[in-house]
Amino acid sequence: MSADITEALNRVFATDSEIYHGRGFMHRIGFGERPALLNIDLANAWTRSGSPFVCDEMDVIIPSVQRLLAASRAKNLPIVYTTTAFAEVDGPHTDMGIWHHKIPALAELKLGSDTVAIDERVAPEPGEQVIVKKRASAFHGTYLSSFLTAHNVDTLIVTGVTMAGCTRHTVEDAVAEGFRPIVVREAVGDRVPGVVDWNLFDIDAKFGDVEPLEAVLEYLENVKAFDESPAGTAQRR
Amino acid sequence: MSADITEALNRVFATDSEIYHGRGFMHRIGFGERPALLNIDLANAWTRSGSPFVCDEMDVIIPSVQRLLAASRAKNLPIVYTTTAFAEVDGPHTDMGIWHHKIPALAELKLGSDTVAIDERVAPEPGEQVIVKKRASAFHGTYLSSFLTAHNVDTLIVTGVTMAGCTRHTVEDAVAEGFRPIVVREAVGDRVPGVVDWNLFDIDAKFGDVEPLEAVLEYLENVKAFDESPAGTAQRR
Amino acid sequence: MSADITEALNRVFATDSEIYHGRGFMHRIGFGERPALLNIDLANAWTRSGSPFVCDEMDVIIPSVQRLLAASRAKNLPIVYTTTAFAEVDGPHTDMGIWHHKIPALAELKLGSDTVAIDERVAPEPGEQVIVKKRASAFHGTYLSSFLTAHNVDTLIVTGVTMAGCTRHTVEDAVAEGFRPIVVREAVGDRVPGVVDWNLFDIDAKFGDVEPLEAVLEYLENVKAFDESPAGTAQRR
Amino acid sequence: MSADITEALNRVFATDSEIYHGRGFMHRIGFGERPALLNIDLANAWTRSGSPFVCDEMDVIIPSVQRLLAASRAKNLPIVYTTTAFAEVDGPHTDMGIWHHKIPALAELKLGSDTVAIDERVAPEPGEQVIVKKRASAFHGTYLSSFLTAHNVDTLIVTGVTMAGCTRHTVEDAVAEGFRPIVVREAVGDRVPGVVDWNLFDIDAKFGDVEPLEAVLEYLENVKAFDESPAGTAQRR
């Protein structure tokens, strides 16, 4: 992104932030006590060149996610990955809904292909969930919400792509469902200039907290290790 | 089920039906114009002996579903199967939610195992969806609803098991979502005496229509063949 | 319900329970640590004579709910009521969905009428939610799930009517969402013989725990008083 | 918005559009055959001065919505309004979820107050739905989706505010659910510079079509008048 564009965006954000602060927006939603880590669409289609979906800044995003994975695994936190993939990419019975009318490129995301597999550099380990979703939000048409609820999770550390699509919609749904969304600044990306900045600005104003990687790592270092749902110990018989 | 039990249930149903009819319940919800076929949990765990989940009457259910599949394929209808399967059946991060506290046997339904594969006698063909669900209802935490909506489906022909569990919850959700649920009498089952009859009675009173196989086949024979969503033809550019 | 019917049902339940226990069903889901009380459709249409929706046993149900309300208020628990009501009960734009094709009597449940107001004998107090729902389940098309999640609730004490309709569907949805459903035996009802017993049997086998009033009151007496979400205290700034 | 900012944004959009078009994004989702009109949060808090929620451009938005209302009423289309309002704006049992941690100003949106009533200039008529929502999206925790499905709606004409909040989240959910979202350019707004343009850009790239008022009015003029769900005529008995 050219310097003058960046400068222009920053001027808009400064103006807008002042208005938001004056009106009772843009406060901190805060970290909770039982976090989970959610990595959105860090599959080859989005992380490696050669696909229409590939995103920028993977040299920053991948190492950031690696550090978050290590920190989360050290505390035995629930870790969830998503990928977007379709069983039927042509024919009259597609599971792409009507979304492919807007984005015909979705037809490249064939279920079971290497394209939609999670990038090996951030590969899931046994015990971690990989959710195949059909829409932008990790919550829409998936068991993510009930998985988190059953485990008494209250906070969702969010990484992945794309910021203007899947990551943003997921964050909006997360706060709607009652989970505190924390977006890790260095661990999210997109593929066209300006959209990461703008969408992070909107999210921080209205839906979740955008936090630097170091702050999130510090939080994870201090959070209580995850154990079985506390409710699980309260059974009467 | 012993004859005297059957007789007792039938007496209850006769009494109850009279009350329901007198009060404005138990009418016909009716067939619509764009049906889909939904086969619930006709996977080996439920259809073949040797599993705690196996159901009765498979010698009636399987042939009935075969006839419904043939009739639906002849009209190119959307066909959806479900199975219930879990990625993590032990450890602290299970995707069984809290349901396994009630039904510990769920731990046998390991994702990817032959146990949870659709029974070959009613095997899906290319272009048909197999949805892996984590809960009783085929709608809960899945893309079923948005799949049906995107295809302008208005009617759901329902088969499968179990009547007191997954099939009933699915029918309740179907009518709630705005789809007309039609339960095919000969194509649904369960594993303990009385529950099929009772749950069909409740459904026919409040949630969907219970219809004999022949009536549903006749409907399918007369329904318009499925094509691309009619809306798809209305695009302006 | 005549004695011989009751006897017949009890024989079925004994047979079926044996099968369920042998197969790994019908265990206890257990009480959790942060309960809420949910009172389903205890509005005049269901609790007072003169409506097609009126249910039996109100002389037992109402006092039971009164005791649960007192116990829950003593611990400052979240209390939620539902009623079922429609803004448009005729014309082409009804909010009854397609449900009125099955139950035309739904047209009597006019939003804002005294018919759908909560019965004064169990009236909500300030700070308690009254959710207007359009379908059987208290979760379907309502903010109940996100309300409970935001408050870190893990257990749902369920009362109300009807057992074969709204109460059952709600319990099925509750366990699907990841909340432990506890149905209070003396606080639920319906309007035709046999359905309360049968649906409680199905629920206790597969979806939630059916518990006597005294056991639930004892649990409530010992549960920790409800305070602000514990996560609320963990904010960093 | 100052001219140089506008110019900077337009340069970004031109660059980004080129990338999107080259990669198979930003196509037309298209109009369907059974539209409904959805007016988001055109209540006094957002349309009239004196509230922290008030938005700009109401002198353009209100007349645009008036014309859309007239065109939709002429065809008897389903018309839905939303407002955002809370029963409990303080105390431990709020229905604001955790959203008020981010936006404390939400506490001003008291259920039943004049603040959250629909602006009289675009007042609902009998037969039109007013949905009270608790979150940004008109779909989240409401019966909107099942209302539209039951009426076989396939297209959602969207107006209202705010573009970076409720309107955007609603559009994302609409396409996820399987409805074609059409955002009317002159009928949407927000309260800080740049956000309307940016969010419309993102939506048109990925989620729905942004169309000028005149194009939508022309579509409505030519669309078939709404009647009872076509399925309603197909009942067998």
Side-chain angles (χ1 to χ4, degrees), chain D residues 120-162:
Chain D
E120 282 188 4
R121 293 169 291 175
V122 292
E125 294 194 349
E128 298 171 357
Q129 299 284 325
V130 180
I131 293 181
V132 178
K133 63 187 177 66
K134 307 289 177 178
R135 305 290 186 264
S137 170
F139 287 93
H140 197 273
T142 77
Y143 59 95
L144 178 57
S145 181
S146 74
F147 174 84
L148 299 174
T149 296
H151 287 303
N152 294 56
V153 167
D154 60 13
T155 300
L156 204 55
I157 311 294
V158 179
T159 81
V161 295
T162 69

Side-chain angles (χ1 to χ4, degrees), chain C residues 99-115:
Chain C
W99 201 18
H100 55 303
H101 295 302
K102 178 54 72 176
I103 310 177
L106 291 173
E108 305 205 9
L109 302 174
K110 180 71 184 166
L111 185 68
S113 70
D114 190 56
T115 302

Side-chain angles (χ1 to χ4, degrees), chain C residues 141-159:
Chain C
T142 76
Y143 59 95
L144 178 58
S145 181
S146 73
F147 173 84
L148 299 174
T149 296
H151 287 304
N152 294 56
V153 166
D154 59 13
T155 300
L156 204 55
I157 311 293
V158 179
T159 80

Side-chain angles (χ1 to χ4, degrees), chain B residues 2 4-5 8-9 11-12 15-16 19-20 23-29 51-54 98-99 101-105 135-136 140 162 164-165 168-169 172-173 175-180 190-195 198-199 202-209, chain C residues 2 4-5 8-9 11-12 15-16 19-20 23-29 51-54 98-99 101-105 135-136 140 162 164-165 168-169 172-173 175-180 190-195 198-199 202-209:
Chain B
S2 66
D4 58 331
I5 299 283
L9 287 184
R11 259 189 303 140
V12 182
T15 304
D16 291 0
I19 298 173
Y20 277 135
R23 293 201 185 187
F25 288 74
M26 222 170 212
H27 286 236
R28 291 303 92 193
I29 206 157
S51 149
F53 293 96
V54 67
I98 56 168
W99 202 18
H101 295 302
K102 178 53 72 176
I103 310 177
R135 305 289 187 266
H140 197 275
T162 68
R168 174 153 178 178
H169 194 185
E172 292 164 348
D173 277 357
V175 70
E177 294 283 333
F179 304 107
R180 297 165 189 262
D190 207 312
R191 64 181 75 91
V192 301
V195 289
W198 199 289
N199 281 284
D202 281 352
I203 284 174
D204 201 59
K206 295 187 163 179
F207 295 112
D209 294 350
Chain C
S2 66
D4 58 331
I5 298 283
L9 287 183
R11 261 189 302 141
V12 182
T15 305
D16 292 0
I19 298 173
Y20 277 135
R23 293 200 183 188
F25 287 74
M26 222 169 212
H27 287 235
R28 290 302 93 193
I29 207 157
S51 148
F53 294 97
V54 67
I98 57 168
W99 201 18
H101 295 302
K102 178 54 72 176
I103 310 177
R135 304 291 186 264
H140 197 274
T162 69
R168 174 153 176 176
H169 194 185
E172 292 164 349
D173 277 358
V175 70
E177 293 283 331
F179 304 107
R180 297 165 188 263
D190 207 312
R191 64 181 75 90
V192 302
V195 290
W198 199 289
N199 281 284
D202 281 353
I203 284 174
D204 201 60
K206 296 187 162 179
F207 295 111
D209 295 351

Side-chain angles (χ1 to χ4, degrees), chain A residues 105-179:
Chain A
L106 290 174
E108 304 204 9
L109 302 174
K110 179 70 184 167
L111 185 68
S113 70
D114 191 55
T115 302
V116 299
I118 303 300
D119 187 310
E120 282 188 5
R121 293 169 291 176
V122 291
E125 295 194 349
E128 297 171 359
Q129 299 284 324
V130 180
I131 293 181
V132 179
K133 64 187 178 64
K134 309 289 177 179
R135 304 292 186 264
S137 170
F139 287 94
H140 196 273
T142 76
Y143 58 95
L144 178 58
S145 181
S146 73
F147 173 84
L148 299 174
T149 298
H151 287 303
N152 293 56
V153 167
D154 59 14
T155 300
L156 204 55
I157 311 294
V158 179
T159 80
V161 296
T162 69
M163 201 56 241
C166 299
T167 307
R168 173 152 177 177
H169 193 184
T170 298
V171 167
E172 292 165 348
D173 277 357
V175 69
E177 293 282 333
F179 304 106

Side-chain angles (χ1 to χ4, degrees), chain A residues 79-81 127-131 143 147, chain B residues 87-88 93-95 134:
Chain A
I79 295 176
V80 180
Y81 295 77
E128 297 171 359
Q129 299 284 324
V130 180
I131 293 181
Y143 58 95
F147 173 84
Chain B
E88 295 301 316
H93 299 147
T94 180
D95 46 337
K134 308 288 177 180

Side-chain angles (χ1 to χ4, degrees), chain A residues 53 84 86 88-109 134-136, chain B residues 146-147 149-152 228-229 231-232 235, chain D residues 23-30 175-176 178-181 205-209:
Chain A
F53 294 97
T84 305
F86 304 101
E88 294 302 316
V89 293
D90 49 28
H93 299 147
T94 180
D95 47 337
M96 296 186 290
I98 57 169
W99 202 18
H100 56 303
H101 296 301
K102 178 54 71 175
I103 310 176
L106 290 174
E108 304 204 9
L109 302 174
K134 309 289 177 179
R135 304 292 186 264
Chain B
S146 73
F147 173 84
T149 297
H151 287 304
N152 293 55
E228 295 275 353
S229 161
Q235 295 181 37
Chain D
R23 294 201 184 186
F25 288 73
M26 221 169 211
H27 287 236
R28 291 301 93 195
I29 205 156
V175 70
F179 305 106
R180 295 166 190 262
K206 296 188 162 179
F207 296 113
D209 295 350

